[in-house]
């Protein structure tokens, strides 16, 4: 059985453009009538096309398809399959973590206004942190930038989080209100996603944090007012010591007058 390009396209449910592109890539090889220039496809071409279609559905590239239907050694085909299996397993983990993020955020949205300005103690797990900016100025180190790109691919498991050193709370309004930007994620999630503990990655201890939702209704950098409630509660409760403070956005709302209010989850490590 031989098919014209239009017959082949109709049979496979694709466009003639797709068939020409697959031919250009060397994935199918129709017979060509030298006199008329017409292409004729056979069952061999349909089988090769559909095998590539299955590989593509498993998110292999066309180049990898070409390698697998060429003359690969066992070592070469193993390398392609092993690499893609690892990538899909990582994607599976990230999808699971993304679902957890959305479920958790859904719950936060349900009680957003009730939790705004409320202060409570919440237990957080051990985290990994990649810091890349002192206040608004980014670190230009190439190795760090590569790690940053890898971590950004792990969002939303990785969250964009500002950090304030412990002295900000210990010397409230007496020291400089300093902070840095970075990405954070649970240590267990980082391990499952295959991230490495490099010299740029630090461990943030888990445990109890004094927590609040703070509403930021201005466009400037964070001011001391963002920490007033937490600091007053620290003084009132008389904790033995405090650690670093972390802040990340959880919601953003447009107001009737067109202004923007961002809701930040802000937490300070406490030692009771």
């Amino acid at each position: 059985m031989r098919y014209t390009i239009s017959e082949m396209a109709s049979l496979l449910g694709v466009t003639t453009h797709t068939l020409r592109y697959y031919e250009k890539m060397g994935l199918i090889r129709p017979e060509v009538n030298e006199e008329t220039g017409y292409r004729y496809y056979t069952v061999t071409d349909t089988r090769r096309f559909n095998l590539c279609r299955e590989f593509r559905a498993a998110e292999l590239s066309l180049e990898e398809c070409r390698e697998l239907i060429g003359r690969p050694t066992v070592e070469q085909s193993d390398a392609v399959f092993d690499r893609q299996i690892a990538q899909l397993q990582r994607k599976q983990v990230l999808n699971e973590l993304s679902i957890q993020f959305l479920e958790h955020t859904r719950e936060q949205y349900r009680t957003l206004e009730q939790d705004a300005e409320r202060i409570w103690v919440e237990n957080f797990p051990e985290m990994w942190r990649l810091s890349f900016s002192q206040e608004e100025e980014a670190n230009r180190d190439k190795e760090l930038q590569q790690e940053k790109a890898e971590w950004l691919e792990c969002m939303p498991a990785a969250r964009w989080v500002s950090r304030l050193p412990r002295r900000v709370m210990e010397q409230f309004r007496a020291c400089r209100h300093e902070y840095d930007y970075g990405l954070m994620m649970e240590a267990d999630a980082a391990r499952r996603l295959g991230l490495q503990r490099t010299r740029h990655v630090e461990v943030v201890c888990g445990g109890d944090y004094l927590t609040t939702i703070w509403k930021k209704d201005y466009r400037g950098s964070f001011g001391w007012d963002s920490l007033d409630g937490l600091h007053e509660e620290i003084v009132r409760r008389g904790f033995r010591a405090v650690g670093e403070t972390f802040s990340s956005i959880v919601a953003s709302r447009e107001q009737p007058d067109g202004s923007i209010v961002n809701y930040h989850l802000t937490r300070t490590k406490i030692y009771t």
Side-chain angles (χ1 to χ4, degrees), residues 18-254:
T18 297
L19 292 179
R20 290 191 179 95
Y21 188 73
Y22 269 54
E23 180 185 351
K24 182 179 178 180
M25 290 288 295
L27 299 170
I28 54 177
R29 296 177 182 175
E31 299 172 0
V32 180
N33 186 309
E34 298 294 339
E35 294 182 2
T36 63
Y38 289 162
R39 287 166 168 73
Y40 295 98
Y41 299 85
T42 67
V43 170
T44 296
D45 296 308
T46 66
R47 301 301 186 266
R48 284 171 68 87
F49 184 94
N50 281 322
L51 180 58
C52 288
R53 176 181 273 173
E54 291 170 356
F55 287 149
R56 291 288 288 148
E59 300 185 21
L60 289 170
S61 67
L62 286 176
E63 290 74 14
E64 289 169 325
C65 291
R66 182 169 57 191
E67 181 177 355
L68 289 171
I69 67 173
R71 290 182 292 179
T73 64
V74 172
E75 291 77 13
Q76 289 172 327
S77 60
D78 276 355
V80 173
F81 290 132
D82 289 347
R83 181 172 61 248
Q84 187 60 16
I85 288 170
Q87 290 180 357
L88 290 175
Q89 288 173 332
R90 189 174 193 262
K91 183 176 180 180
Q92 185 177 30
V93 171
L94 187 55
N95 284 341
E96 177 188 328
L97 294 170
S98 297
I99 290 170
Q100 291 176 9
F101 162 77
L102 292 174
E103 289 176 339
H104 180 68
T105 304
R106 178 183 61 194
E107 296 306 310
Q108 286 182 317
Y109 270 45
R110 287 173 174 171
T111 60
L112 190 62
E113 292 300 336
Q114 298 96 302
D115 287 338
E117 314 305 334
R118 183 172 74 87
I119 298 175
W120 68 95
V121 174
E122 185 171 346
N123 190 275
F124 288 90
E126 180 183 277
M127 310 288 285
W128 283 10
R129 179 176 175 81
L130 180 72
S131 297
F132 47 76
S133 170
Q134 185 60 42
E135 298 186 7
E136 311 298 331
E137 187 174 346
N139 188 316
R140 301 296 183 181
D141 179 270
K142 289 185 178 180
E143 184 180 324
L144 177 57
Q145 290 299 314
Q146 289 175 350
E147 286 187 62
K148 177 182 175 181
E150 183 180 9
W151 277 57
L152 286 171
E153 290 178 356
C154 295
M155 295 180 82
R159 305 291 304 277
W160 189 284
V161 180
S162 300
R163 174 180 57 185
L164 296 87
R166 62 187 304 170
R167 61 179 169 273
V168 169
M169 284 301 188
E170 292 176 336
Q171 305 172 39
F172 194 67
R173 293 188 180 272
C175 72
R176 182 169 174 268
H177 189 284
E178 58 185 292
Y179 61 93
D180 64 55
Y181 283 145
L183 290 163
M184 285 178 64
M185 74 172 77
E186 293 186 14
D188 179 64
R191 295 186 189 99
R192 292 178 64 196
L193 289 168
L195 295 178
Q196 301 298 313
R197 275 284 320 279
T198 68
R199 63 187 179 91
H200 297 120
V201 177
E202 59 188 290
V203 174
V204 176
C205 65
D208 288 340
Y209 284 76
L210 195 64
T211 307
T212 190
I213 299 289
W214 184 69
K215 296 168 67 171
K216 182 174 182 291
D217 58 1
Y218 56 87
R219 291 184 173 272
S221 300
F222 284 103
W224 288 109
D225 57 328
S226 64
L227 305 171
D228 276 335
L230 286 175
H231 181 260
E232 289 173 5
E233 192 70 7
I234 288 170
V235 173
R236 188 182 72 81
R237 296 198 189 194
F239 295 116
R240 175 169 56 87
V242 297
E244 295 177 316
T245 297
F246 301 94
S247 182
S248 58
I249 188 169
V250 294
S252 184
R253 299 284 168 83
E254 184 175 339

